């Protein structure tokens, strides 16, 4: 976090004060942000930039503000500079010039984007934010499972983003065989924190993100342990004992990225619970990590690339395809979303997971719903769907082929028109729905869904949709799968996918031989053997089932 008093004229961030270093006169700009329907002040996030590209951080007038700057030299096209504010006016001193102001409040309000000029006088403005959907009224509550903001600043940020649940990773370790530690102040938070009745912080979470093994640079990867009760006193690797202790404490394990060198090992070894379909490389700013893990992809995936590497869709599709084939292997990980706000150029909750609760908000019920898969992930659109009348995450046990069906009903909604709605079955897009995009009374766009999925065997199905975007950016929503299990029949992965998984793990085994202990290497070899066993029944072709 950077405070306005600490801000300097480095990069494109400038300090707000009565005169600039050259003595140029500054004039106050005051803003007041209200809900367009009630007229009441609301918490929000403010971005302010002048015509030359300089960013300005605003101050709260009577309340509190948290400033955030990630304007990184290696990501020059992906600056994230903003202020989150309490429900009070904001003020900033500006020189003469033209400015662009963007004000947002989470995912369920239309953003405000406007321009104004300062010309030898102060200005004031009231910004009215219009809500286009209210998911809490329908029982949906949002969370971010990968957070690097401090516990102290989170109440301000969560209310500005209208994020219901946050999991700050107060414990973090990057060296092997080392117990995760926390800042003394952060470690003092040891129980659920209620920001208000619908917004909570669970402060005891750990990230194992190993970049150093026995004193030498060696990237293994990351995994998040959420909702544990006591500090974890185990180093990594090996990982199996960490998983055992995490489960003893009622924690969930979250795979933050599918592309880490150890990801395909820890999924079977730790029996990972959650898979981040929207992860910490998915931002509102321009997609930046174009060559990340480019050497780990396989031609059989057909991922979208250009001269710079993976496109934004190529990266997201890489995650989707990996998730689908892991489900086909029998790993029924539930979907989630994490942003690593505090490290990356992204706002808290840009990608978020919504969990459906039928009896109002409660943290324990929300965690139960997350673990059960009563959820969808979104970076923009919203999916309010039922599967055979119930929620996502269900597992239907059937004994007759004619009962192997799922009726999917509900709506897909977005603040922009939705481009396509897709029904995914066993990892393939089995049906594409061209949405009607009927405009709602609140100004959003709604399309109804009523389809039946049938197969002559076991299958899983999920729904995803994509919003139209004026610059071609990818904004999506994706439900957790539901499963139909026909007795005596199993979903089978593609042989080419299993071969890819095995090849990646065998390569990693060669890279780590002599680096890791025998106990840790045994975990990699057990994972390889697991995938080899599955390969015996893998599908020979990558074709959509009839």
């Amino acid at each position: 976090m950077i405070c306005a008093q600490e801000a300097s004229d480095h990069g494109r961030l400038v300090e707000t004060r009565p005169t600039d270093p050259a003595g140029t006169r500054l004039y106050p700009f005051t803003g007041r942000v209200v809900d367009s329907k009630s007229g009441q002040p609301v918490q929000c996030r403010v971005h302010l930039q002048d015509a030359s590209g300089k960013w300005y951080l605003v101050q709260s007038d009577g309340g509190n503000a948290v400033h955030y700057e990630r304007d990184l030299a290696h990501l020059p096209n992906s600056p994230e500079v903003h202020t989150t504010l309490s429900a009070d006016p904001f003020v900033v001193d500006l020189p003469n010039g033209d400015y662009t102001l963007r004000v947002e409040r989470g995912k369920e309000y239309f953003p405000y984007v406007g321009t104004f000029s300062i010309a030898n006088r102060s200005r004031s403005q009231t910004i009215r934010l219009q809500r286009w959907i209210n998911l809490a009224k329908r029982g949906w509550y949002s969370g971010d499972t990968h957070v690097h903001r401090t516990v102290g600043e989170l109440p301000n940020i969560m209310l500005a983003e209208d994020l219901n649940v946050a999991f700050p990773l107060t414990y973090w370790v990057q060296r092997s065989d080392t117990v995760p530690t926390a800042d003394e102040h952060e470690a003092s938070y040891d129980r659920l924190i209620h920001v208000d009745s619908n917004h909570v912080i669970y402060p005891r979470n750990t990230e194992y993100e190993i970049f150093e093994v026995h004193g030498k640079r060696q990237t293994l990867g990351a995994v998040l342990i959420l909702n544990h009760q006591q500090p974890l006193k185990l180093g990594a690797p090996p990982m199996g004992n960490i998983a055992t202790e995490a489960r003893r404490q009622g924690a969930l394990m979250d795979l933050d990225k599918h592309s880490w060198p150890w990801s395909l090992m820890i999924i079977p070894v730790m029996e990972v619970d959650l898979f981040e379909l929207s992860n910490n490389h998915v931002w509102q700013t321009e997609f930046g990590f174009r060559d990340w893990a480019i050497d780990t992809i396989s031609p059989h995936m057909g991922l979208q690339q250009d001269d710079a590497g993976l496109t934004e869709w190529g990266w997201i599709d890489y995650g989707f395809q990996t998730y689908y084939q892991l489900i086909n292997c029998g790993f029924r990980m539930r979907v989630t979303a994490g942003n690593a706000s505090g490290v990356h150029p992204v706002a808290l909750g840009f990608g978020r997971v919504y969990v459906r609760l039928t009896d109002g908000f409660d943290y324990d019920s929300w965690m139960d719903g997350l673990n059960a898969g009563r959820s969808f992930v979104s970076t923009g659109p919203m999916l309010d769907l039922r599967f055979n009348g119930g929620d996502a995450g269900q597992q239907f046990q059937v004994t007759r082929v004619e009962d192997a069906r799922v009726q999917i009903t509900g709506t897909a909604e977005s603040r922009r028109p939705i481009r396509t709605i897709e029904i995914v079955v066993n990892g393939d897009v089995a049906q594409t729905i061209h949405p009607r995009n009927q405009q709602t009374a609140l100004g959003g766009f709604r399309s109804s869904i009523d389809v039946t999925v049938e197969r002559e065997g076991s299958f899983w199905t999920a729904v995803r949709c994509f919003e139209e975007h004026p610059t071609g950016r990818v904004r999506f929503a994706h439900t957790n799968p539901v499963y139909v299990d026909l007795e005596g029949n199993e979903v089978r992965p593609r042989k080419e996918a299993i071969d890819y998984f095995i090849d990646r793990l065998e390569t990693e085994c060669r890279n780590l031989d002599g680096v890791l202990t025998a106990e840790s290497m045994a975990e990699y070899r057990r994972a390889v053997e697991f995938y080899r066993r599955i390969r015996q029944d893998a599908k020979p072709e990558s074709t959509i089932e009839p």
Side-chain angles (χ1 to χ4, degrees):
M1 182 181 70
I2 185 166
C3 298
Q5 291 81 3
E6 300 170 333
S8 61
D9 196 9
H10 64 81
R12 290 186 290 165
L13 181 69
V14 298
E15 185 177 3
T16 57
R17 51 184 190 173
T19 59
D20 70 8
T24 303
R25 181 75 178 272
L26 303 178
Y27 300 89
F29 174 81
T30 302
R32 180 172 173 264
V33 182
V34 301
D35 180 274
S36 64
K37 184 176 181 179
S38 69
Q40 294 298 308
V42 293
Q43 302 92 341
C44 64
R45 169 170 30 98
V46 172
H47 304 249
L48 181 61
Q49 192 175 32
D50 71 13
S52 72
K54 284 186 177 180
W55 293 97
Y56 292 78
L57 296 172
V58 306
Q59 302 289 348
S60 177
D61 185 6
N64 58 78
V66 173
H67 296 145
Y68 191 69
E69 180 215 354
R70 290 296 181 273
D71 195 1
L72 307 174
H74 67 287
L75 296 170
N77 299 317
S78 305
E80 180 64 45
V81 182
H82 65 250
T83 307
T84 50
L85 293 156
S86 58
D88 299 279
F90 66 85
V91 63
V92 57
D93 294 319
L94 300 171
N96 286 334
D98 299 323
Y99 297 87
T100 298
L101 176 69
R102 188 170 92 244
V103 181
E104 300 192 40
R105 186 165 194 260
K107 313 302 286 188
E108 300 179 32
Y109 281 79
F110 288 104
Y112 167 86
V113 180
T115 59
F116 66 90
S117 298
I118 296 293
N120 297 318
R121 65 181 181 86
S122 62
R123 289 184 61 103
S124 62
Q125 183 176 346
T126 296
I127 296 101
R128 302 182 185 279
L129 293 184
Q130 179 182 341
R131 180 184 284 277
W132 65 268
I133 197 169
N134 190 333
L135 285 184
K137 282 190 174 181
R138 306 187 196 181
W140 292 100
Y141 297 90
S142 62
D144 183 336
T145 59
H146 189 170
V147 177
H148 286 291
R149 311 300 292 269
T150 67
V151 175
E153 65 188 359
L154 274 173
N156 167 289
I157 306 168
M158 291 177 68
L159 293 177
E161 302 292 354
D162 195 20
L163 182 80
N164 299 105
V165 185
F167 296 90
L169 294 158
T170 47
Y171 291 82
W172 200 0
V173 64
Q174 295 184 309
R175 295 189 300 273
S176 71
D177 311 312
T178 303
V179 172
T181 58
D183 174 88
E184 183 177 351
H185 181 68
E186 296 295 287
S188 68
Y189 299 102
D190 60 358
R191 56 182 56 86
L192 186 68
I193 299 166
H194 290 269
V195 178
D196 63 19
S197 60
N198 284 345
H199 299 83
V200 300
I201 303 163
Y202 189 86
R204 184 162 279 167
N205 313 285
T206 295
E207 178 169 13
Y208 287 92
E209 187 177 26
I210 306 303
F211 292 117
E212 182 182 305
V213 176
H214 306 317
K216 296 182 179 180
R217 181 74 177 179
Q218 181 75 53
T219 297
L220 299 182
V223 65
L224 315 181
I225 314 296
L226 308 178
N227 191 63
H228 54 86
Q229 309 304 306
Q230 300 295 328
L232 299 173
K233 301 296 186 181
L234 297 166
M239 306 308 295
N241 55 350
I242 295 173
T244 299
E245 176 60 18
R247 294 210 184 283
R248 188 188 71 79
Q249 295 195 28
L252 296 178
M253 281 154 283
D254 178 0
L255 184 71
D256 90 307
K257 279 193 291 290
H258 55 281
S259 58
W260 287 114
W262 74 6
S263 292
L264 293 172
M265 177 274 291
I266 66 170
I267 290 168
V269 167
M270 299 187 79
E271 298 182 2
V272 170
D273 302 290
L274 306 174
F275 187 104
E276 293 187 7
L277 277 186
S278 179
N279 55 46
N280 61 4
H281 289 188
V282 181
W283 312 324
Q284 184 167 357
T285 57
E286 184 174 319
F287 174 61
F289 289 126
R290 305 293 301 280
D291 59 353
W292 176 273
I294 197 76
D295 59 339
T296 68
I297 65 175
S298 170
H300 85 270
M301 291 182 163
L303 300 177
Q304 188 181 82
Q305 301 183 56
D306 58 21
D307 291 342
L310 285 175
T311 64
E312 181 179 46
W313 168 239
W315 170 251
I316 293 170
D317 189 29
Y318 183 17
F320 285 2
Q321 290 194 43
T322 304
Y323 178 61
Y324 299 160
Q325 292 307 314
L326 287 167
I327 293 176
N328 289 345
C329 290
F331 303 114
R332 294 185 175 182
M333 294 175 286
R334 283 72 75 197
V335 299
T336 191
N339 298 277
S341 182
V343 174
H344 285 292
V346 62
L348 182 75
F350 169 70
R352 58 184 67 188
V353 58
Y354 280 89
V355 174
R356 185 169 178 264
L357 305 178
T358 57
D359 298 315
F361 180 76
D362 171 78
Y363 172 73
D364 290 335
S365 298
W366 192 91
M367 284 296 293
D368 289 344
L370 178 69
N371 191 30
R374 297 192 293 269
S375 55
F376 71 89
V377 166
S378 176
T379 62
M382 305 296 174
L383 289 167
D384 188 5
L385 299 177
R386 305 294 178 268
F387 299 81
N388 286 345
D391 293 317
Q394 296 178 94
Q395 302 183 40
F396 301 103
Q397 304 292 329
V398 300
T399 57
R400 303 183 307 168
V401 169
E402 55 265 36
D403 294 328
R405 63 174 62 194
V406 174
Q407 185 181 20
I408 305 170
T409 57
T411 59
E413 299 178 59
S414 188
R415 66 183 179 91
R416 298 187 182 97
I418 290 174
R419 186 179 74 250
T420 57
I421 302 168
E422 297 174 341
I423 311 300
V424 181
V425 179
N426 292 353
D428 295 306
V429 176
Q431 184 175 348
T432 299
I433 300 170
H434 298 288
R436 296 185 65 184
N437 285 313
Q438 295 177 316
Q439 197 154 24
T440 69
L442 295 178
F445 295 88
R446 176 184 297 154
S447 297
S448 296
I449 299 173
D450 188 349
V451 300
T452 299
V453 179
E454 299 177 276
R455 289 294 184 272
E456 294 183 356
S458 297
F459 69 92
W460 61 265
T461 185
V463 180
R464 68 189 195 187
C465 69
F466 299 89
E467 179 184 281
E468 291 183 4
H469 196 281
T471 64
R473 299 298 303 277
V474 181
R475 300 289 183 261
F476 71 89
H478 197 301
T479 70
N480 199 78
V482 297
Y483 302 89
V484 175
D485 296 315
L486 179 65
E487 188 175 346
N489 181 274
E490 292 183 356
V491 173
R492 296 185 298 159
R494 297 174 182 169
K495 188 165 290 186
E496 58 195 359
I498 289 294
D499 287 343
Y500 165 61
F501 291 168
I502 293 170
D503 181 67
R504 278 186 58 187
L505 274 175
E506 288 181 334
T507 298
E508 195 60 16
C509 285
R510 290 191 294 272
N511 292 339
L512 296 174
D513 190 26
V515 176
L516 298 185
T517 65
E519 182 181 8
S520 297
M521 287 302 301
E523 292 185 331
Y524 281 86
R525 295 190 178 102
R526 285 203 305 272
V528 171
E529 288 307 311
F530 177 88
Y531 291 111
R532 283 176 175 162
R533 288 195 300 272
I534 291 176
R535 189 187 184 280
Q536 296 174 12
D537 295 319
K539 291 191 301 184
E541 298 177 357
S542 57
T543 56
I544 297 177
E545 298 177 359

